[in-house]
Amino acid sequence: MLSRRLFTSRRVFSTLNSVRDSDVAHFAKILSPSSVLSTLPPVSTPRDELDIYNTDWMGKYRGKSTTVLKPKSTQEVSEIVSWCHDKHIPIVPQGGNTGLVGGSVPLKDEVILSLSNMSNVRSFDPVSGILVADAGCILQSLTDYVAPYDHIMPLDLGAKGSCQIGGNVSTNAGGLRLLRYGSLHGSVLGLEVVLPDGTILDQLTSLRKDNTGYDLKQLFIGAEGTLGVITGVSILTPPAPQASNNVILALPTFDNVVPLFKTVKRQLSEILSAFEFIDRTAYDLAVKHGQGRALSDEDVEGAQCFVLVETSGGRREHDEEKLANLLESLLEVDKPLINTGVLAQNPAQFSSLWALREGVTEAVSKEGKAYKYDISVPAATFKQVVDTTREHLRSKGLLHEDAVKHVLGYGHVGDGNLHLNIVAKGYTPEIQAALEPFVYEIVARHRGSVSAEHGIGAMKTHALPYSKTDVSIALMKRIKELFDPRGIMNPGKVLE
Ligand code: FAD
Ligand code: MLT
Ligand code: ZN
């Protein structure tokens, strides 16, 4: 597998050039001094200043880029891309660099085009809720921007303090609100994109309805920077719920998760906004690393896993009553689906319960090096997938403190999205070989997806055939060829 990947990477880069001093001199001429970081003359930035751009969030992928460009306008992006196109220089678009599949850092020495200097809101219409923003706006800052107008962003994720809306769109990020507000394929109304030859594609419409042929913007949603650089996003923001509540439910067995989901959906109906699952290992790690306040010993005793339920509705009393009725009905039957439920009583508790779920990613990264598999499989199989993987690693002699420390599962039950995480002391070829194609074969047996929401990046280009047919992959390659015949946009990502 390794030699095939090296060959692929050699092939993808064979017609591409490294950045030279003369290129940096050109960039220094067209951009302001603070927008050009380069170890090459005439700029000469210290190499360690480029480390954060060259290293991904997990510390798993590292590039060797000599040059990071931080344009301040779409026009500047266009001029950079046009130059790179002429000179056959590869580009990695980079947002908040929180991606989890190695898509946002170079494989070799590609130019890193950071959107972080493009962070202005262009317009907001409080009547329609349509927000138009630069791609480099941080998700949390957009949430803060629309809050006084009583609106929220249609997506929320643990990385909200760093990830950018352009990165969210490029990865088609799912997150914690997808159950309620659907995917970005629905809420993104328009995009502005700089194409791989520098042309600006203006599709930044704010129309709710537009049936004028092929919907080109959809191609860039989830393209992970392989078809162009997103510079502007028009997105529909929903009205803020007037009341939000949450409760964490402790379950005696995983088998109860799916029946619980059915019951909760039926009873809470329109006010249900999240149904998130963490297994016992994930909970213990979140607590160990200080993510949210631990539940009492009594509440966690005998719990095999936990489910966080959130409601968002229009009337507090009505929603609280529904939630209280749900809890009562869950506990009063002969064979309850839950051991107990802890209801948030105030905003601090509400945040603390969410932190137990959202904080698992952070906790895992503090515990060790994570192999992260973000898969779509039927919700009823989540535990089986986690257990089978753990047993497989045990059978290979890899389940011990010096190799794999934990195998855990958490995720978005409502979306059939399991996050299978293997936490190891370090990244090693033995663990990698034990996990792949093992995990992908499980996914294929369920006709699932090797990427539910994080994307393909550099991590899963070889795994695409486990989820997509040859015909689909051939079409994707033709689309890539059409948009980017020189192959300069994020080479070696998504497609081999
Ligand atoms: P980056 O990481 O910088 O880039 C991601 C990809 O998009 C790369 O391929 C890059 O080249 C491309 N890209 C970035 N910006 C642009 C642009 N303007 N134009 C073209 N291409 C671009 N993901 C989920 O789906 N759901 C979650 O719940 C979730 N939770 C997370 C929690 C944590 C703590 C972390 C660290 C990550 C999480 N993620 C989650 C991963 C996720 O993909 C992102 O955090 C986010 O969408 C990436 O945005 P970013 O700005 O950091 O993009
Ligand atoms: C999540 O749901 O917490 C995110 O997708 C991040 C992760 O998988 O760790
Ligand atoms: Zn997720």
Side-chain angles (χ1 to χ4, degrees):
M1 182 58 71
L2 198 65
S3 60
R4 190 169 140 239
R5 279 203 218 172
L6 274 179
F7 173 75
T8 306
S9 145
R10 262 193 223 123
R11 187 178 45 73
V12 168
F13 283 90
S14 64
T15 56
L16 298 173
N17 296 320
S18 295
V19 182
R20 291 188 295 212
D21 302 358
S22 53
D23 302 310
V24 179
H26 173 76
F27 297 135
K29 224 185 285 163
I30 62 168
L31 302 173
S32 66
S34 63
S35 296
V36 187
L37 308 182
S38 181
T39 55
L40 304 177
V43 173
S44 301
T45 308
R47 180 161 288 281
D48 57 357
E49 278 186 36
L50 269 64
D51 282 353
I52 46 163
Y53 301 94
N54 269 312
T55 312
D56 78 318
W57 191 85
M58 297 176 293
K60 187 177 180 188
Y61 299 91
R62 278 170 219 280
K64 293 196 179 87
S65 181
T66 58
T67 306
V68 178
L69 304 177
K70 302 169 86 173
K72 294 184 173 158
S73 67
T74 303
Q75 193 51 42
E76 286 188 354
V77 174
S78 166
E79 284 175 37
I80 293 166
V81 175
S82 168
W83 179 269
C84 290
H85 176 259
D86 288 351
K87 306 281 174 191
H88 295 244
I89 296 170
I91 299 171
V92 178
Q94 191 175 87
N97 197 12
T98 66
L100 298 172
V101 289
S104 52
V105 293
L107 290 178
K108 288 181 66 192
D109 60 356
E110 301 90 299
V111 163
I112 297 174
L113 196 159
S114 164
L115 276 297
S116 54
N117 275 342
M118 288 182 63
S119 54
N120 290 320
V121 169
R122 299 192 192 178
S123 66
F124 179 67
D125 176 358
V127 178
S128 63
I130 296 169
L131 172 75
V132 182
D134 284 349
C137 289
I138 289 175
L139 180 59
Q140 181 65 56
S141 67
L142 292 179
T143 301
D144 296 343
Y145 185 92
V146 297
Y149 300 98
D150 244 357
H151 275 254
I152 57 168
M153 293 301 285
L155 80 162
D156 183 24
L157 42 146
K160 56 185 156 245
S162 311
C163 64
Q164 300 175 3
I165 192 67
N168 300 146
V169 172
S170 300
T171 53
N172 185 23
L176 308 162
R177 291 189 182 146
L178 191 134
L179 180 71
R180 178 65 164 268
Y181 299 109
S183 95
L184 289 171
H185 282 293
S187 45
V188 170
L189 300 178
L191 292 176
E192 178 187 81
V193 182
V194 173
L195 298 175
D197 65 355
T199 306
I200 299 170
L201 173 70
D202 181 357
Q203 292 223 322
L204 209 50
T205 60
S206 297
L207 306 172
R208 291 298 301 274
K209 299 179 94 175
D210 180 14
N211 262 358
T212 49
Y214 308 137
D215 189 358
L216 295 178
K217 70 171 181 290
Q218 298 296 353
L219 282 174
F220 301 97
I221 302 176
E224 301 179 55
T226 59
L227 298 180
V229 183
I230 296 177
T231 47
V233 177
S234 164
I235 189 165
L236 189 63
T237 69
Q242 296 306 299
S244 289
N245 298 289
N246 66 8
V247 58
I248 198 156
L249 307 171
L251 281 68
T253 159
F254 175 84
D255 294 341
N256 292 358
V257 170
V258 173
L260 180 68
F261 184 44
K262 278 193 199 149
T263 309
V264 168
K265 263 201 303 190
R266 200 182 57 242
Q267 289 204 29
L268 296 180
S269 57
E270 82 291 350
I271 64 167
L272 175 64
S273 53
F275 189 97
E276 293 284 319
F277 151 79
I278 56 176
D279 70 11
R280 183 62 191 254
T281 313
Y283 170 84
D284 289 341
L285 283 180
V287 169
K288 176 176 172 187
H289 293 287
Q291 307 292 321
R293 250 204 28 230
L295 307 180
S296 72
D297 289 349
E298 200 187 329
D299 285 331
V300 295
E301 200 191 322
Q304 195 178 71
C305 62
F306 301 84
V307 162
L308 185 126
V309 174
E310 184 195 65
T311 63
S312 302
R315 222 158 34 91
R316 181 164 298 282
E317 308 75 49
H318 165 266
D319 297 359
E320 280 173 359
E321 194 184 324
K322 263 188 148 178
L323 206 48
N325 288 345
L326 169 74
L327 276 183
E328 215 174 285
S329 72
L330 285 172
L331 288 165
E332 271 179 359
V333 287
D334 284 346
K335 234 178 125 213
L337 292 173
I338 60 168
N339 287 347
T340 182
V342 177
L343 197 61
Q345 304 292 342
N346 53 49
Q349 282 177 12
F350 179 87
S351 302
S352 174
L353 292 189
W354 260 121
L356 286 169
R357 161 62 187 90
E358 271 188 288
V360 175
T361 316
E362 190 85 35
V364 160
S365 78
K366 286 184 175 153
E367 182 72 8
K369 293 292 179 193
Y371 292 83
K372 296 177 85 70
Y373 294 94
D374 152 48
I375 58 182
S376 276
V377 286
T381 68
F382 281 11
K383 180 167 187 298
Q384 189 196 327
V385 171
V386 176
D387 288 350
T388 310
T389 306
R390 188 183 296 110
E391 286 320 305
H392 174 70
L393 291 165
R394 196 193 306 280
S395 75
K396 299 268 177 196
L398 290 169
L399 198 64
H400 53 81
E401 275 296 304
D402 287 326
V404 172
K405 304 206 272 185
H406 312 280
V407 179
L408 58 139
Y410 54 99
H412 318 285
V413 174
D415 316 330
N417 178 184
L418 170 67
H419 294 308
L420 166 67
N421 279 219
I422 293 87
V423 189
K425 194 171 168 194
Y427 294 118
T428 71
E430 291 74 28
I431 301 174
Q432 176 74 28
L435 288 170
E436 295 181 24
F438 180 81
V439 173
Y440 297 134
E441 283 169 355
I442 298 180
V443 173
R445 278 201 292 280
H446 290 293
R447 292 182 66 85
S449 172
V450 295
S451 172
E453 60 176 9
H454 296 164
I456 298 297
M459 178 188 173
K460 304 177 198 165
T461 50
H462 64 293
L464 214 46
Y466 289 96
S467 294
K468 280 205 148 64
T469 62
D470 291 350
V471 176
S472 308
I473 295 172
L475 264 176
M476 283 170 66
K477 286 186 173 163
R478 284 171 64 187
I479 290 169
K480 168 75 177 170
E481 175 69 22
L482 177 72
F483 278 82
D484 184 20
R486 295 190 180 177
I488 63 164
M489 291 304 309
N490 219 356
K493 313 292 171 56
V494 182
L495 292 165
E496 284 192 319

